[in-house]
Amino acid sequence: MTPVSTPHSSIPGTADLDNPLYYLENFETVVRWVRRHHSDLLTAEETGHIDSLLTLNQPERALVARLVMRTGELFRVEKLNYPEFGVPVADAASGLSRSGWIDDAPDIPLTEVFRLFTLAELRPALADRISATGLPAAAAKGLLKDTLIPLHPDPAPVEHWLPNLPTRVIRLNHMALFDRLRLMFFGNLRQSWSDFVLVELGHQQYEQVPLSAESRAFDERDDVDRYLVMHHCRERLDNGESPETVWQEVPAASDNAWLESRRGRLLFELGKLAERGRNTELALAAYEQSGHREARLRQLRLLERLKRYREAWQLIIAAGEEPRFGAEERGLERIQSRLAKKLGKTPPPPSARPALTAFTLELDNPEGHSVEWVAMEHLSQPEAPVAYVENTLINGLFGLLCWPALFAPVPGAFFHPFHTGPVDLYRDDFVERRQALFDDCLDALATDDYKSRIRNTWRQKQGAASPFVIWPALSEDLLNLALECIPTHHLELMFRRLLDNLREHRSGFPDLIRFQPGHSDPNRRYEMIEVKGPGDRLQDHQTRWLEFCVGQDIPVSVCYVRWARIAE
């Protein structure tokens, strides 16, 4: 479908948090945005529902917004308390009933009755049904559910279940429409209405990226439908439905790379559940179709466990030609070594790995601080201050220097004004689509210009949401020390490794950084230190960063902490 050609220059504002109905204003900002920019992906019936919603009176619109942000579709009116409406909730509900937005007498499955009502309310109302099963009157709620629900599978009005309880249960209609609107706005269903409307909007600053008519999450209604089907498949798995049943509903592969990555995650989870249920053939089929970054290792381990060694060997040889991510290389190496012994083949030579510098500290911790904090306090000296930075410092410097590339108005990267970062950040072509922009940012490292760029961005963008800059963790003093002490070529090496695999390489940095501005060697005016407490060990992604740094002569070490014994 051709996107609706509407101007995107007018950026909607966020509501004043002092307004008690701020959430309604934010909610309607989202609804209006989708209505305006995605109407070609909506049916006439759907746009009609949106338009009718926006003509309701304010209390009714506010109640719809509140119900959309709550869990489920069924609600007890007497439990809803929203004084900011200015009218009783029951009156607003009656208005919505007349306009078709709620069902005032829905049939309710017994599962929902147990969710909506307390045990104290249920016991007397269900006394006859409980007695008929032979359960004691004081049986726990879980036991009552497990026993009664299979015996009463059909939904019925609340009066059928609880005849003598004064209550009013309503069902919000058109919830599927709101899921569709949420998906088209966010590009995912991971973000909830409540988090966004009640928390993010108004509490967060956003970089304002120019938007065009092509700046949308979806261009085809079929893609929206495919996403929703996959989302419902995942919900069914999470709710305990068998992977064998859900497998039948998983959509076929498509040429949409983004949706294929989601399909890969769905198949990976389905495969794990099938494997857990000992349906190994289904698990292998799901892993093989998945394309998920970890699916191939799971497939190989399962083949190995099934003693299908030759099949696993053929797969591992093909996988070695094109590893999907850094951690897979180590996993493939381990499995191939085991398979080689079983098949009488020559095992691959172990990859060369540089030795890591390590030291041990024996420290007291009477106040129960984290091991990183205790190590930082012990190691810090006036002439050599130590900061606890973990993944925030190098990522932050990268994010500040490369801000123009990260927030470039690339089609498909930003499709509403409230993104915390580009939505294609972890797609395979993310860097390629911005290569010239990243080259320009990193070229600044050839002179001291990069320092002024970083400082200017730190000042100008202060507080704006970024996938790499955690503002509270990046003080001006820390920023200046880092720029003074970390050599330019070290920053470039680390930044380029980040760009090789942003998803994987943005984590695993050492916990601490020790600055030594007065050191005579400009390459040794800082040191990154990974801290490990008793019983803790290095994770693969941490080891890979440490080994990379050692290989590039970037100063790093591992500090093992032992707690001093308290004298009795």
Side-chain angles (χ1 to χ4, degrees):
M1 294 185 181
T2 302
V4 177
S5 181
T6 52
H8 283 54
S9 57
S10 57
I11 302 300
T14 57
D16 183 349
L17 297 181
D18 291 331
N19 174 8
L21 288 168
Y22 77 93
Y23 60 87
L24 174 60
E25 188 176 335
N26 287 338
F27 175 75
E28 291 183 347
T29 291
V30 174
V31 172
R32 292 178 191 277
W33 181 270
V34 176
R35 174 66 176 89
R36 180 183 181 190
H37 301 299
H38 302 76
S39 60
D40 59 314
L41 304 184
L42 297 167
T43 65
E45 181 182 18
E46 289 165 344
T47 56
H49 286 320
I50 295 171
D51 293 342
S52 72
L53 170 66
L54 297 173
T55 63
L56 297 173
N57 65 42
Q58 188 178 77
E60 293 169 2
R61 300 196 321 271
L63 180 55
V64 170
R66 281 294 192 184
L67 297 183
V68 167
M69 288 184 276
R70 293 174 70 102
T71 301
E73 300 178 3
L74 292 163
F75 310 95
R76 295 176 62 180
V77 173
E78 66 271 17
K79 295 294 184 180
L80 303 174
N81 180 31
Y82 302 117
E84 73 273 12
F85 289 2
V87 301
V89 171
D91 291 354
S94 296
L96 290 177
S97 177
R98 289 190 295 271
S99 59
W101 278 97
I102 67 169
D103 182 351
D104 220 0
D107 287 341
I108 306 172
L110 190 53
T111 51
E112 287 294 293
V113 174
F114 273 96
R115 182 181 69 85
L116 291 167
F117 294 89
T118 67
L119 184 56
E121 292 170 319
L122 292 170
R123 275 180 176 153
L126 300 175
D128 291 344
R129 291 183 174 88
I130 295 171
S131 176
T133 65
L135 291 174
K141 192 173 185 179
L143 179 58
L144 293 178
K145 286 175 60 177
D146 293 343
T147 305
L148 292 175
I149 288 173
L151 298 176
H152 305 280
D154 298 326
V158 67
E159 295 82 6
H160 172 78
W161 302 116
L162 312 170
N164 299 315
L165 189 68
T167 185
R168 180 183 177 192
V169 175
I170 59 175
R171 182 193 302 277
L172 176 66
N173 295 327
H174 313 307
M175 192 61 204
L177 171 61
F178 290 110
D179 285 340
R180 186 175 289 269
L181 296 180
R182 179 161 59 101
L183 173 57
M184 287 191 287
F185 184 80
F186 291 118
N188 66 74
L189 287 173
R190 182 185 65 257
Q191 289 174 274
S192 71
W193 285 105
S194 57
D195 287 347
F196 186 71
V197 170
L198 294 175
V199 180
E200 292 185 27
L201 272 180
H203 289 269
Q204 180 66 269
Q205 299 176 46
Y206 301 91
E207 177 73 355
Q208 294 304 308
V209 179
L211 300 175
S212 68
E214 288 73 34
S215 301
R216 308 197 304 178
F218 299 94
D219 289 323
E220 301 286 341
R221 183 177 174 89
D222 285 347
D223 288 342
V224 182
D225 293 340
R226 179 180 292 271
Y227 188 110
L228 288 168
V229 169
M230 291 191 290
H231 177 74
H232 293 144
C233 284
R234 180 58 190 269
E235 284 186 326
R236 290 163 60 191
L237 289 175
D238 292 343
N239 291 332
E241 195 166 337
S242 74
E244 291 79 6
T245 304
V246 176
W247 169 258
Q248 306 301 321
E249 306 298 327
V250 175
S254 74
D255 57 2
N256 184 312
W258 172 50
L259 288 177
E260 272 305 286
S261 70
R262 296 200 62 84
R263 181 174 177 272
R265 288 199 292 274
L266 170 63
L267 289 170
F268 181 63
E269 294 303 321
L270 189 148
K272 289 196 295 183
L273 289 170
E275 185 177 353
R276 200 173 303 152
R278 299 188 178 182
N279 188 340
T280 54
E281 291 307 313
L282 176 57
L284 288 170
Y287 292 148
E288 184 176 6
Q289 291 190 31
S290 168
H292 184 274
R293 55 207 300 267
E294 297 178 38
R296 198 157 51 186
L297 284 177
R298 294 284 301 219
Q299 183 183 1
L300 282 164
R301 292 186 186 116
L302 181 52
L303 287 171
E304 186 181 16
R305 199 161 65 247
L306 295 172
K307 296 182 169 53
R308 291 160 63 170
Y309 302 134
R310 294 192 181 280
E311 191 176 341
W313 183 264
Q314 292 175 348
L315 177 61
I316 208 166
I317 295 302
E321 298 295 323
E322 191 176 353
R324 289 178 179 164
F325 66 115
E328 190 184 52
E329 294 182 44
R330 298 278 171 84
L332 293 175
E333 184 179 297
R334 296 183 190 114
I335 296 173
Q336 189 173 4
S337 294
R338 295 196 300 267
L339 290 175
K341 294 176 183 177
K342 292 179 173 72
L343 294 171
K345 296 181 180 292
T346 304
S351 55
R353 301 174 64 176
L356 302 179
T357 300
F359 63 98
T360 300
L361 296 176
E362 187 171 291
L363 303 174
D364 294 318
N365 188 14
E367 298 180 9
H369 292 301
S370 70
V371 67
E372 296 87 358
W373 182 267
V374 175
M376 178 189 72
E377 289 289 295
H378 175 82
L379 293 170
S380 191
Q381 302 292 330
E383 69 281 2
V386 178
Y388 182 12
V389 295
E390 200 171 9
N391 298 313
T392 61
L393 179 58
I394 302 302
N395 277 325
L397 295 173
F398 168 80
L400 292 172
L401 180 64
C402 296
W403 195 282
L406 294 169
F407 288 96
V410 175
F414 299 91
F415 37 84
H416 61 72
F418 311 110
H419 282 291
T420 58
V423 298
D424 62 337
L425 182 63
Y426 297 131
R427 295 184 204 169
D428 291 341
D429 62 349
F430 175 78
V431 175
E432 179 184 340
R433 298 174 73 200
R434 302 159 174 82
Q435 191 64 64
L437 293 167
F438 278 114
D439 288 344
D440 177 72
C441 293
L442 297 187
D443 285 348
L445 293 166
T447 68
D448 271 356
D449 180 51
Y450 79 93
K451 295 182 179 179
S452 60
R453 283 199 189 192
I454 288 175
R455 289 190 174 102
N456 288 339
T457 304
W458 185 89
R459 286 190 293 268
Q460 294 167 7
K461 305 297 183 181
Q462 187 67 220
S466 163
F468 291 96
V469 183
I470 309 300
W471 295 104
L474 196 58
S475 68
E476 189 168 14
D477 287 343
L478 176 60
L479 181 72
N480 288 331
L481 264 176
L483 294 177
E484 178 185 354
C485 295
I486 303 177
T488 308
H489 64 286
H490 288 182
L491 287 176
E492 182 172 2
L493 287 166
M494 290 187 279
F495 290 172
R496 291 197 181 280
R497 185 172 191 265
L498 264 173
L499 287 171
D500 282 343
N501 189 331
L502 286 167
R503 180 193 296 275
E504 184 179 344
H505 294 165
R506 64 180 300 171
S507 64
F509 287 99
D511 300 303
L512 309 180
I513 185 165
R514 174 162 52 188
F515 297 108
Q516 300 183 78
H519 200 290
S520 58
D521 184 348
N523 292 321
R524 291 294 181 269
R525 288 177 180 159
Y526 79 109
E527 177 188 17
M528 296 187 290
I529 304 170
E530 176 63 32
V531 180
K532 290 297 172 187
D536 198 3
R537 64 179 183 84
L538 291 170
Q539 303 299 308
D540 279 351
H541 67 303
Q542 296 170 331
T543 300
R544 287 193 297 276
W545 258 117
L546 291 167
E547 291 178 347
F548 170 82
C549 290
V550 171
Q552 301 294 335
D553 203 26
I554 295 172
V556 291
S557 61
V558 182
C559 171
Y560 291 98
V561 174
R562 297 185 307 196
W563 299 128
R565 293 185 178 181
I566 301 174
E568 297 182 359

